[in-house]
Structures are given as structure tokens and as C-alpha cells.
Amino acid sequence: MEKVTSLQVAKRAGVSQSAVSRVFTPGASASAKTVEKVRKAAEELGYRPNMMARAMITGKSRIIGLVVAYLDNQFYPLAMERLSNALQEQGYHILVFTADNSRDNVEEVMKELLDYQVEGIITASVGMSNDLTARCAAAGIPVVMFNRGQDGNDVSSVTSANVAGGRRVAEFLLACGHRNFAHISGWQGSSTGRDRQSGFCGALAEQGIVPQVIDGMYDRDAAAAATRKLMLQTEPPDAIFVGNDHMAFAVMDTLRSGLGLRVPDDVAVVGYDDVPLAAWPAYDLTTMRQPINRMVDTTVTTLLTRIDEPTTPTCRIEIESPLIQRRSTRGLLK
């Protein structure tokens, strides 16, 4: 079967080819009568507009590139879904690429995105080199980092207030009566991992307490191994702050099934993110809730503003997070 063209639709609807183009171009002007005739003709003929061809003509692809490091953590599939929905409501679609955090891999993925003529890029838990930031700026492609920050003012970022969140966890555990702390941190190559550790350790240092810290690499197996190492010491911790929920579930599974310990009677556990699984009775995890809806809305608004107004300055936005208390810790509020 031959592909239906816009000229065929125009002839069937009794309008010009340019009228067909306007009907299928977001924001373009066309009368209600013309829209009705063109859409009816398009449906009868099975016509679909060629979005890539239109992008070449107009310079507007209406596509946003999304680069994500990994999807094991429940937080990111949820964020991707909400980012996609929010962008579609604004007439955009997303093109998803996965990349690990090695510099070469991220650069190759970003080059591919630029080849697709995306209008903007969102990176989720992916780092950006200064060279890559400059390359995107030179191409006129705005970038917003989601749930990851970067030193300097060359790229916009939207995160939760991670330092304040780590501090809040320390203050809560101190109020619950704990005195022997450990932190299985997020990957220290990430701003989120470093900031949460900084807030937690800083608040404890003010009380003369130095917690044990192990980099969990945002990995379940690494978090499980760290848990065994901590708990098999002569003086194991009675409270563990874990850099995200994905690792915290592995910590709780290891404590219960691998070591025969009780949570929170033997050791309390606090995570970070508040993914849906955290509220399941099997975990009932106390955690810092990342305000995902506000983070998504802010990310989309920041990116689209820079697309529409390229001279808009970059910005670093941090959004406060609440502590959600559940039964993986003592001292539950009534």
C-alpha cells in the first residue's frame, strides 16, 4: 500500500495542502470547519503526518530527549511516566535513551539525541561533563538535570533538598534515642549521594558522633554486602540511614532473612525517595519522600521556558522533602 500524503488529504477535504499542515501543527491557526473536514478526510484515508519531515521544515521537532542511567530503582520509571505525561500535555513527546555514568557512554548518547533534533534534554541521574554542557549550549539545546546537580551555573537542575533531607534523618534518629549510626550512602560520584551523606554526617558531627559510612553505589547487592559487614562487627549500629529506598529494601531483606534480626527492634532503617513499595506492609519503610510531582512540574516548566526564551538564565532548584514515618523505625508519631 502506498503511503497517504497530505496532498491526497487536501483534495479529499477540498482544502489547500497548507491548510492540512496547519491542522496538524500544534498552535497553528485553522477554522473549526477546516479542522473538521481535514480530520475527517485524514481518518478516512488513514493519513498520519510525518513528524520528522515537519521538524526539518519548521525546525521544531516537539521532541524532548530523556537520558536515564538505570531503571532498577522504582523512582525512575515513575518519574519517566510523569515526565512523559506532563510533556504530552504541552504538545511534546519524549525520546528515551539509557546510559551508564561513564563519560564516553553519556557523550555518545547525547550525540545521538542531538542528531534527532530534539528541542531539549532532561537527564535523570546522569552526570554532565563541562565539554558536553558546552556542546549542548552551542547547539542551542537547553538541558535540565533531574534529581542530580552539577557544580557551576552552566546547566539547570531540579532536585529535592538533599542536604536538608540527610540532616532531617539524623535529627529524627537522634530523637528516637539512637546513638550508634551507620550510613549506606548513594554513589559518591553523584551529587545526590554526596549531599545526603553531607547532611546526615554534618548533623551527627554537631553532637560529637561520627557514623560508619559505606558507599552502596545505588546497588542492591552492594547494599546487602554493606549490611552484613556492618552488622557482623563487635558493636553493630542500631540505626542505618540508606541513600535510597531501592537499597533500603535490600538492607531490610538482609537484616531479616540473612541475619535473623528484627527491624526496628534490633536496628532501625530509614530510606530516601518514598517509592510505592516503601508503603507495602512487608517493608513499611520510614523514608524521606521526594516530591516527585513538584519536581516533574518544575523540570518541565524550566525546560520549556528555556526552549521558548533561550536567554533565560540557568537555575538550580531544590525542593523540600517531608520525612514519612513508618514501622521500620521506633518512635512512630501517632
Side-chain angles (χ1 to χ4, degrees), residues 105-160:
N105 188 235
V106 171
E107 290 201 357
E108 283 302 313
V109 167
M110 297 293 272
K111 287 177 185 177
E112 283 194 61
L113 279 175
L114 295 178
D115 290 341
Y116 276 96
Q117 297 186 331
V118 297
E119 293 192 47
I121 296 173
I122 297 171
T123 64
S125 196
V126 173
M128 292 274 290
S129 69
N130 291 333
D131 289 345
L132 195 52
T133 300
R135 191 177 305 166
C136 291
I141 307 297
V143 178
V144 178
M145 302 180 75
F146 177 86
N147 200 37
R148 177 71 63 84
Q150 180 171 300
D151 294 336
N153 298 313
D154 295 330
V155 63
S156 294
S157 63
V158 177
T159 67
S160 61

Side-chain angles (χ1 to χ4, degrees), residues 167-178:
R167 172 173 286 275
R168 177 72 183 91
V169 172
E171 293 169 346
F172 168 71
L173 291 173
L174 284 167
C176 289
H178 297 284

Side-chain angles (χ1 to χ4, degrees), residues 182 184 212 214 225-233 235-237 240:
I184 299 177
Q212 301 176 75
I214 299 177
T227 304
R228 287 189 289 270
K229 181 177 180 179
L230 289 168
M231 301 310 299
L232 292 176
Q233 297 176 127
E235 295 185 14
I240 303 175

Side-chain angles (χ1 to χ4, degrees), residues 2-324:
E2 293 184 0
K3 188 174 182 179
V4 179
T5 67
S6 61
L7 181 58
Q8 291 172 297
V9 175
K11 288 181 177 179
R12 190 177 188 94
V15 299
S16 67
Q17 192 173 10
S18 62
V20 174
S21 178
R22 289 196 302 275
V23 167
F24 289 102
T25 299
S29 176
S31 68
K33 184 176 181 180
T34 297
V35 171
E36 181 181 359
K37 289 194 297 182
V38 168
R39 291 199 177 277
K40 183 174 183 295
E43 184 176 349
E44 291 171 351
L45 293 172
Y47 170 76
R48 298 291 298 171
N50 188 328
M51 302 303 293
M52 295 305 294
R54 178 175 300 152
M56 293 178 66
I57 295 170
T58 64
K60 299 290 185 181
S61 67
R62 309 295 293 183
I63 296 175
I64 303 298
L66 174 61
V67 186
V68 61
Y70 65 111
L71 296 174
D72 292 344
N73 182 353
Q74 286 188 339
F75 181 75
Y76 288 107
L78 189 60
M80 285 175 57
E81 177 187 0
R82 297 188 184 182
L83 282 166
S84 179
N85 290 340
L87 287 164
Q88 286 183 33
E89 289 177 1
Q90 300 298 322
Y92 288 85
H93 300 279
I94 64 170
L95 186 63
V96 180
F97 282 76
T98 57
D100 60 39
N101 270 293
S102 68
R103 176 171 177 171
D104 290 344
N105 188 235
V106 171
E107 290 201 357
E108 283 302 313
V109 167
M110 297 293 272
K111 287 177 185 177
E112 283 194 61
L113 279 175
L114 295 178
D115 290 341
Y116 276 96
Q117 297 186 331
V118 297
E119 293 192 47
I121 296 173
I122 297 171
T123 64
S125 196
V126 173
M128 292 274 290
S129 69
N130 291 333
D131 289 345
L132 195 52
T133 300
R135 191 177 305 166
C136 291
I141 307 297
V143 178
V144 178
M145 302 180 75
F146 177 86
N147 200 37
R148 177 71 63 84
Q150 180 171 300
D151 294 336
N153 298 313
D154 295 330
V155 63
S156 294
S157 63
V158 177
T159 67
S160 61
N162 290 300
V163 174
R167 172 173 286 275
R168 177 72 183 91
V169 172
E171 293 169 346
F172 168 71
L173 291 173
L174 284 167
C176 289
H178 297 284
R179 290 297 179 269
N180 192 354
F181 300 89
H183 177 42
I184 299 177
S185 72
W187 177 48
Q188 289 301 285
S190 69
S191 64
T192 50
R194 294 192 302 271
D195 288 349
R196 292 168 191 174
Q197 177 180 326
S198 173
F200 183 70
C201 294
L204 293 179
E206 292 171 6
Q207 304 301 317
I209 299 172
V210 179
Q212 301 176 75
V213 178
I214 299 177
D215 190 339
M217 304 295 293
Y218 288 135
D219 179 79
R220 277 187 58 89
D221 291 340
T227 304
R228 287 189 289 270
K229 181 177 180 179
L230 289 168
M231 301 310 299
L232 292 176
Q233 297 176 127
T234 303
E235 295 185 14
D238 63 357
I240 303 175
F241 170 40
V242 191
N244 69 4
D245 290 353
H246 177 64
M247 292 190 297
F249 300 141
V251 170
M252 293 181 72
D253 289 341
T254 303
L255 290 170
R256 292 166 168 171
S257 301
L259 300 173
L261 297 172
R262 299 167 298 168
V263 178
D265 297 331
D266 295 317
V267 57
V269 178
V270 179
Y272 208 110
D273 282 341
D274 196 29
V275 299
L277 189 61
W280 289 17
Y283 293 106
D284 215 9
L285 176 66
T286 295
T287 183
M288 293 297 300
R289 173 179 291 168
Q290 292 223 72
I292 188 169
N293 289 335
R294 291 177 60 196
M295 290 171 67
V296 165
D297 290 344
T298 303
T299 299
V300 170
T301 298
T302 301
L303 183 65
L304 298 190
T305 297
R306 297 208 67 225
I307 290 173
D308 294 337
E309 302 173 20
T311 59
T312 302
T314 58
C315 56
R316 299 174 66 179
I317 300 171
E318 295 185 353
I319 302 174
E320 291 291 332
S321 302
L323 176 71
I324 306 302

